[in-house]
Structures are given as C-alpha cells and as structure tokens.
Amino acid sequence: MCWSEQLKIFVTTGARCFHLITPNENVDTLFAPQNLSTDSFMRDSVPNVTKVFNQGGHVRHDEDKELCLLDKKSIGYLSGDGVTPFVGLEQSAILSGKGPEYLRDLLGFLKPVQQSPKSRWVRCFSAKRDGWAARTFYEKCNGKAPNIVLVSVGGRYVFGGYSDVAWTMSDRGWQSSSKSFLYTLCNKNGYRPEKLPLRDPPDRIAIRDHTSCGPVFGGGGDLFIADNAGGNEESYTEPHTYARPQGVTSDGPCDVFAGTWSFTPDEMEVFHEVVD
C-alpha cells in the first residue's frame, strides 16, 4: 500500500498493525477501547510522512513494509513470515536496499547472544554521518556494549563483527571475550552468510581497544579497520583468532570478505544493544 492511500488498522495474532502512525499520533489513543475492533477502520491519507513514534521516541518508517504496534512500546512490521518486531537494525544504511535475507541472517547470528528477546539495536556511529576518524568512532560508541559493527565495501560486500566488550576512550589494549564473533553476509563468493566464532574462547585478544585505529577483532587483525579508513587502503582481514570463512584453508591475508585482502570501506556502522 502506498502512502497516498487511506490507512487501515489490521488485527493479527497478538498484534494490532498500522500502515502508518503519524508523527503527532498518541499511542494511548490508538489503544483506546473504541479502536480495538477486529474491523478495519479508515483514516485520512497522510502523504510524505517519514517518521513513526513509539513511547521512547521516533523511528524511520520502511516504505516497503506495513508498520505495526506490537504493544505500547514496540513497533514491528508485517512480512511474509508474519509480524516481525522492529529491532533497530532496519535503520542501517548498509542493509537498506538489500534483500530481507540480510537482516534475517544477521539477526539469526545475534539471537544466541542477545541479552533479551525484546532487545533493540541503536546506532551510535555511521562513518558517512560522523566521519572516518577513529577517535570519533570511539567517542560516539564509548562504553556502549554489546555492539555490532557493519562494514560495506564497494556497495556489495557486507561483513563485520560482534563484541560483548565495549570500545572505550581508555586505550585498554587487548580485551578478552568468549562471545565475540565475526560474520560475512555477502563476500567474493556471493551471498554466503556465515558466523565466525572465536576458535578458543575465552580469548584474551578478542578485540583491541585503542583510539589509534577503528575496531579491531583478533590478534592477527582478523578484521582491522584503520584510522580514516574511507580515505586509504589500510584496513584488512587476516584470520588468526576467529574461524576462517568457508574455502579458506590457512591463516593470513584473506580476500574472501571484501574481494581483496586490504580494502577501502564505503561505510561502517556500529549499533549497540539496548534492553528497555
């Protein structure tokens, strides 16, 4: 349904779903008894509205999905699999425009380590928005954990890493973790989603916390994001600490993630987990 059409409320199992919630809409009003009918009801058309509200603030709507109020605090959307909670990663610029399998598989990687089924992910850093300086990344994401790093190269390759340990401004050096992992969604072999755990957890060199460079996973620079990475080719992938991608038989420089061993990313985003 396009936004110029009238808006309907739909009632599905356990959720009351709306095509659109206007920026000045009161959530409590939508849940007033007179609105909790199983019948659809029509609203005036509201073209060009780009935000919807929940009680914690606003989120961007998805033009291709029907937005839903799952309860008074959460928003979701309708998909072929039913009602999917809005978890925050839908706002990723890297994932936008990609197929639904990208978000689905990334959430599948995160599910075993999430602190709560109701967790949401809040973006603390975007290189396109905030710049590529490593220190800015640390300032924006200081102390925010668990977190997930998303990297895009050439608008095609998508990969990154998850850390349950925070990045900080304290230059603490190597940090131990038993839950951190790398992942690849689309690599030089095509769409090949793969989660790459630590080989021998807990590992004392799971991540490197230092403001001289961007996020670093693994003692050999399994994933190394350089300072000002968008303007150089000093970032690289070199498996040593985490599992190798399928087809890689030895440690060392690896071209599977980004098509080449060293690369210039076109975007990096970092989201941190929030439990309401």
Side-chain angles (χ1 to χ4, degrees):
M1 176 180 285
C2 66
W3 300 119
S4 61
E5 296 182 47
Q6 290 180 305
L7 308 176
K8 293 182 179 180
I9 283 185
F10 295 89
V11 177
T12 62
T13 304
R16 292 165 177 81
C17 300
F18 303 79
H19 281 296
L20 190 65
I21 307 161
T22 65
N24 57 0
E25 193 78 75
N26 185 302
V27 172
D28 291 323
T29 299
L30 291 172
F31 276 82
Q34 63 267 28
N35 290 341
L36 300 185
S37 167
T38 56
D39 298 327
S40 299
F41 82 91
M42 308 302 291
R43 295 183 179 274
D44 295 332
S45 62
V46 187
N48 302 320
V49 176
T50 59
K51 294 179 180 178
V52 295
F53 274 80
N54 63 15
Q55 288 188 331
H58 66 264
V59 294
R60 197 172 59 198
H61 80 267
D62 186 327
E63 295 179 354
D64 299 323
K65 299 182 175 70
E66 298 166 350
L67 292 164
C68 310
L69 277 175
L70 303 182
D71 52 47
K72 288 187 180 181
K73 292 186 178 179
S74 61
I75 293 173
Y77 56 85
L78 285 177
S79 65
D81 298 324
V83 178
T84 302
F86 193 102
V87 296
L89 286 168
E90 297 88 347
Q91 293 184 291
S92 165
I94 291 175
L95 298 182
S96 66
K98 305 292 187 185
E101 66 274 14
Y102 282 73
L103 178 60
R104 178 198 66 207
D105 292 331
L106 185 57
L107 291 176
F109 296 158
L110 290 170
K111 186 176 181 179
V113 294
Q114 280 194 180
Q115 298 178 87
S116 166
K118 295 183 179 181
S119 291
R120 56 191 175 89
W121 296 85
V122 177
R123 184 167 50 196
C124 57
F125 179 81
S126 163
K128 285 187 175 179
R129 179 191 67 191
D130 303 317
W132 281 101
R135 190 167 187 86
T136 303
F137 152 67
Y138 274 93
E139 289 172 349
K140 294 284 186 179
C141 299
N142 184 34
K144 296 176 180 178
N147 59 73
I148 187 160
V149 177
L150 294 88
V151 180
S152 170
V153 176
R156 174 186 176 188
Y157 304 109
V158 179
F159 55 93
Y162 164 89
S163 175
D164 58 328
V165 181
W167 313 100
T168 74
M169 296 293 293
S170 302
D171 290 347
R172 299 176 299 166
W174 293 111
Q175 297 296 301
S176 177
S177 172
S178 58
K179 295 182 179 179
S180 295
F181 62 83
L182 298 181
Y183 66 89
T184 172
L185 292 174
C186 185
N187 58 43
K188 79 167 190 175
N189 298 316
Y191 187 75
R192 298 288 179 88
E194 191 174 3
K195 182 177 180 178
L196 306 168
L198 288 161
R199 299 182 192 182
D200 187 23
D203 197 303
R204 62 181 181 82
I205 53 174
I207 69 163
R208 184 171 184 258
D209 183 46
H210 202 283
T211 55
S212 62
C213 53
V216 176
F217 290 81
D222 293 49
L223 172 58
F224 178 93
I225 302 297
D227 187 19
N228 296 311
N232 58 58
E233 294 184 5
E234 296 175 8
S235 300
Y236 59 86
T237 51
E238 190 169 315
H240 288 280
T241 305
Y242 293 82
R244 308 183 197 109
Q246 287 184 0
V248 177
T249 58
S250 61
D251 291 347
C254 177
D255 65 357
V256 170
F257 291 90
T260 57
W261 164 62
S262 62
F263 56 87
T264 303
D266 56 69
E267 173 65 308
M268 182 180 81
E269 298 175 297
V270 183
F271 289 76
H272 66 101
E273 185 179 4
V274 175
V275 180
D276 293 323

